Amino acid sequence: MRTRFRLRVAYRGRHHIPVLATFRPTWRQMLLRGLGAGAAGSVVLLVAASSGLLGIIVTAGWPDVGWLAFAPLPVAVLSALVIGRCSRVRLDRSGVHRFPPTRDGFTPWALVTDVRAERWQRRTVIAVYCRDESVHRLPAPYDGEMFGRDPQFERKLFLICHLWSTHRTCRRG
């Protein structure tokens, strides 16, 4: 299983909170996301080339610009791999931490009312429902279609639900 269960310590001043689990997208999910972005970039360049916008480059002395249509593919794959490795979810006894940090980057267990899997943008993600009626969709783990599948998704969902049910009534400090 790709989930990290080692006991790691995140220091915040003098206090430390042990990390219970860390989730990241699988390498197949990151690769698929990069290929999708690269294909979209290639289509944009092909449309620009067919409409004559790239005709200036051809007349400037570059006889073969067919390779230019496939230039976004490796760039998009590499950027998706880097961004995918940076996006993660960390669970500790205080709550759920999302990285990269957003406005709703931290959700304490005491505010969580439900954890469930739901369909969102052609994939199944884990949604954390809070008392203030807000919904926080976690960037990882998720289960996509075909190559974006995560074979351990149900186990990861069960682990998150188990940690929530264990720590939702715990007092900090």
Side-chain angles (χ1 to χ4, degrees), residues 79-107:
S79 64
L81 289 174
V82 169
I83 291 170
R85 292 304 294 170
C86 294
S87 65
R88 64 183 184 273
V89 174
R90 190 182 76 202
L91 305 174
D92 57 21
R93 72 169 196 225
S94 65
V96 179
H97 302 268
R98 294 177 55 180
F99 295 98
T102 59
R103 181 179 57 86
D104 55 348
F106 172 68
T107 307

Side-chain angles (χ1 to χ4, degrees), residues 5-128:
F5 290 105
R6 289 183 289 141
L7 186 64
R8 292 186 295 165
V9 177
Y11 289 101
R12 293 184 181 166
R14 292 187 298 158
H15 303 287
H16 62 290
I17 300 172
V19 176
L20 301 173
T22 301
F23 300 105
R24 291 184 176 150
T26 64
W27 66 272
R28 288 181 183 152
Q29 291 170 339
M30 291 184 287
L31 185 65
L32 187 66
R33 183 176 273 182
L35 286 174
S42 296
V43 167
V44 167
L45 279 178
L46 284 174
V47 168
S50 66
S51 67
L53 294 176
L54 294 179
I56 299 169
I57 296 174
V58 174
T59 58
W62 290 9
D64 186 23
V65 293
W67 60 270
L68 193 59
F70 298 104
L73 281 173
V75 173
V77 168
L78 287 175
S79 64
L81 289 174
V82 169
I83 291 170
R85 292 304 294 170
C86 294
S87 65
R88 64 183 184 273
V89 174
R90 190 182 76 202
L91 305 174
D92 57 21
R93 72 169 196 225
S94 65
V96 179
H97 302 268
R98 294 177 55 180
F99 295 98
T102 59
R103 181 179 57 86
D104 55 348
F106 172 68
T107 307
W109 292 122
L111 296 181
V112 176
T113 58
D114 195 14
V115 176
R116 63 176 93 145
E118 62 182 29
R119 293 291 293 171
W120 188 65
Q121 293 183 352
R122 295 183 357 184
R123 55 184 168 172
T124 305
V125 298
I126 296 177
V128 177

Side-chain angles (χ1 to χ4, degrees), residues 126-149:
I126 296 177
V128 177
Y129 289 83
C130 299
R131 281 191 194 149
D132 60 353
E133 298 180 1
S134 63
V135 179
H136 304 272
R137 290 176 183 89
L138 304 181
Y142 66 89
D143 194 20
E145 299 171 352
M146 291 185 54
F147 298 113
R149 298 201 62 81

Side-chain angles (χ1 to χ4, degrees), residues 109 115 158-170:
W109 292 122
V115 176
F158 177 77
L159 177 66
I160 293 173
C161 291
H162 175 69
L163 289 174
W164 167 60
S165 65
T166 302
H167 296 288
R168 65 182 167 186
T169 59
C170 292

